[in-house]
Amino acid sequence: GQNIDQPTEMTATEGAIVQINCTYQTSGFNGLFWYQQHAGEAPTFLSYNVLDGLEEKGRFSSFLSRSKGYSYLLLKELQMKDSASYLCAVKDSNYQLIWGAGTKLIIKP
Amino acid sequence: IAGITQAPTSQILAAGRRMTLRCTQDMRHNAMYWYRQDLGLGLRLIHYSNTAGTTGKGEVPDGYSVSRANTDDFPLTLASAVPSQTSVYFCASSDGTSHNEQFFGPGTRLTVL
């Protein structure tokens, strides 16, 4: 079966750095996405990785290792507004997205 | 409008009733999707449409039907609602490129009693 694993919840301090991990086992791989979802709102796109390595976009970076079935999202200089759920999703061999359950990130002052 | 809209925002429905959730996008995206999101679970694909006139079944299609008469609209129908269909429903669209980023509507919170 297909499986995406992420921690259920993480806590970090304002101004710090946090890394959210995602491991996956899917039938095929055609890219990995990270989305942010604030409570009661729709998911919004953060990043896309299809090749191994690090993609940096401002305070957010995403890393992919296809051989290990592993990705992480790195958030720097955390702000209170970063409190949200972070969803990892993999595009499978049918080009459909398989979603993890999400990691709820709590930022404390 | 700009982006994707969904209606209604929320609905309480008696079991056994028929309900249609509406979704409209103005981005001229070819592909559209319906997901349900339940606490502790990832988004689960119900149905999708790669282009107008075609539809496909996702991971959890039972009890739901869709149609895609044109590019902009992708309604989801529950023929006879059951309590297990209580969920938040998201419609999404993408332009079908290799990047395939999906844009989401604001969601419909549905409660079936």
Side-chain angles (χ1 to χ4, degrees):
Chain A
Q2 306 201 93
N3 196 48
I4 311 283
D5 286 319
Q6 347 176 196
T8 302
E9 186 174 296
M10 299 182 69
T11 301
T13 303
E14 189 176 17
I17 299 173
V18 71
Q19 177 175 311
I20 302 174
N21 296 324
C22 171
T23 58
Y24 63 89
Q25 290 178 304
T26 57
S27 57
F29 179 85
N30 285 295
L32 185 143
F33 294 78
W34 284 95
Y35 279 75
Q36 181 189 59
Q37 186 177 25
H38 285 99
E41 297 183 7
T44 55
F45 171 78
L46 285 178
S47 69
Y48 170 70
N49 295 70
V50 68
L51 299 176
D52 290 351
L54 188 68
E55 294 280 343
E56 297 187 77
K57 188 185 294 185
R59 294 189 300 113
F60 293 6
S61 303
S62 56
F63 172 83
L64 174 67
S65 169
R66 288 173 295 172
S67 63
K68 295 182 179 179
Y70 168 70
S71 173
Y72 67 73
L73 181 69
L74 191 71
L75 292 73
K76 303 176 184 176
E77 302 170 14
L78 286 170
Q79 302 175 9
M80 297 304 293
K81 67 178 182 179
D82 297 330
S83 292
S85 289
Y86 292 85
L87 314 181
C88 175
V90 171
K91 193 183 341 174
D92 69 6
S93 56
N94 294 319
Y95 292 88
Q96 300 298 348
L97 285 179
I98 308 300
W99 296 82
T103 298
K104 182 177 181 180
L105 179 62
I106 298 168
I107 309 296
K108 296 186 175 181
Chain B
I1 56 174
I4 301 183
T5 59
Q6 292 184 235
T9 302
S10 65
Q11 182 74 43
I12 299 174
L13 190 66
R17 297 296 295 269
R18 181 184 179 89
M19 176 74 191
T20 295
L21 308 185
R22 300 184 298 279
C23 175
T24 299
Q25 53 104 358
D26 67 353
M27 297 178 284
R28 306 305 294 173
H29 284 171
N30 287 324
M32 296 187 76
Y33 312 85
W34 274 106
Y35 292 95
R36 60 177 290 173
Q37 188 175 40
D38 302 291
L39 195 64
L41 299 177
L43 288 161
R44 292 183 291 170
L45 184 65
I46 303 170
H47 285 287
Y48 65 94
S49 169
N50 288 329
T51 60
T54 68
T55 62
K57 294 181 179 181
E59 179 186 356
V60 289
D62 294 344
Y64 306 94
S65 64
V66 292
S67 61
R68 186 89 184 276
N70 56 60
T71 298
D72 298 346
D73 302 301
F74 191 43
L76 176 74
T77 297
L78 289 67
S80 179
V82 295
S84 62
Q85 293 177 311
T86 294
S87 187
V88 179
Y89 291 86
F90 287 103
C91 179
S93 73
S94 68
D95 64 7
T97 63
S98 59
H99 184 280
N100 206 34
E101 171 193 347
Q102 292 186 10
F103 296 83
F104 284 80
T108 294
R109 183 174 296 274
L110 182 67
T111 302
V112 182
L113 301 176

